[in-house]
Amino acid sequence: MTHTGARWSFISFPGGGERLAALLGGHVDLMILDPSEAREQVRSGKLRVLAQAAEKRLPDFQDVPTLKEAGFDVPDVPQIRGVVGPPGMPADAAAFYAELFRKTTRTVAWQHYLADNQFQDAFKSPEDTRKFLGEFDDRLRGLLTAAGVKVVR
């Protein structure tokens, strides 16, 4: 299935709150949001989920197709979350926090947090995170360049 005739504009907002206000206020027609950002508005009927930008359907949205299922041939680009520290952070402090977060991701509370927000668990050590971010940056630059987007930095 091909989709033609649509004109898209990318509008950048400082955060999820501003994006959601623009959508609910009718200033934009559609938006990509985290499930947790839109959950209450979807439950109340103020927003409708059209498609999921995910490789597979999320548990809370089993009746909503993924973009690929809806006929859009787009690559899956995960939205990542992380915790960062300053460049000069002492190695022992970085190791302390890495271990603290590793332990946190093994708790029942963390599993509930993931489920409540429809997140996927993907804890990585600081070394693996650096490697992942380099690969992610390269992949994203390639996708954007292939789509004709001018990449400035």
Side-chain angles (χ1 to χ4, degrees):
M1 173 186 334
T2 59
H3 301 275
T4 59
R7 292 183 53 215
W8 301 86
S9 295
F10 175 80
I11 302 170
S12 179
F13 291 93
E18 293 88 349
R19 289 193 317 250
L20 191 55
L23 184 59
L24 291 170
H27 305 289
V28 297
D29 296 321
L30 57 93
M31 187 161 295
I32 297 173
L33 294 168
D34 283 355
S36 61
E37 291 176 311
R39 176 185 16 225
E40 294 307 315
Q41 287 73 25
V42 170
R43 285 182 187 163
S44 72
K46 292 181 180 176
L47 292 180
R48 185 177 91 192
V49 181
L50 302 175
Q52 299 182 58
E55 204 170 291
K56 61 183 181 178
R57 293 182 185 198
L58 296 172
D60 284 358
F61 300 99
Q62 286 298 314
D63 59 334
V64 179
T66 65
L67 287 171
K68 284 193 190 242
E69 291 171 337
F72 295 93
D73 186 22
V74 295
D76 181 42
V77 179
Q79 181 158 6
I80 57 175
R81 302 272 194 257
V83 178
V84 296
M89 179 181 250
D92 60 333
F96 169 82
Y97 285 111
E99 181 60 14
L100 175 68
F101 290 119
R102 186 195 65 75
K103 286 179 180 177
T104 300
T105 64
R106 305 301 187 257
T107 65
V108 172
W110 180 254
Q111 298 309 312
H112 287 296
Y113 171 78
L114 294 175
D116 287 348
N117 292 285
Q118 299 292 289
F119 291 151
Q120 296 174 347
D121 194 5
F123 175 79
K124 295 187 179 314
S125 69
E127 299 77 24
D128 289 342
T129 298
R130 277 190 284 283
K131 181 180 175 192
F132 170 82
L133 289 174
E135 293 167 354
F136 184 78
D137 185 57
D138 291 345
R139 179 173 178 224
L140 199 52
R141 283 177 184 281
L143 290 170
L144 291 169
T145 301
V149 174
K150 181 181 177 184
V151 179
V152 179
R153 293 186 259 181

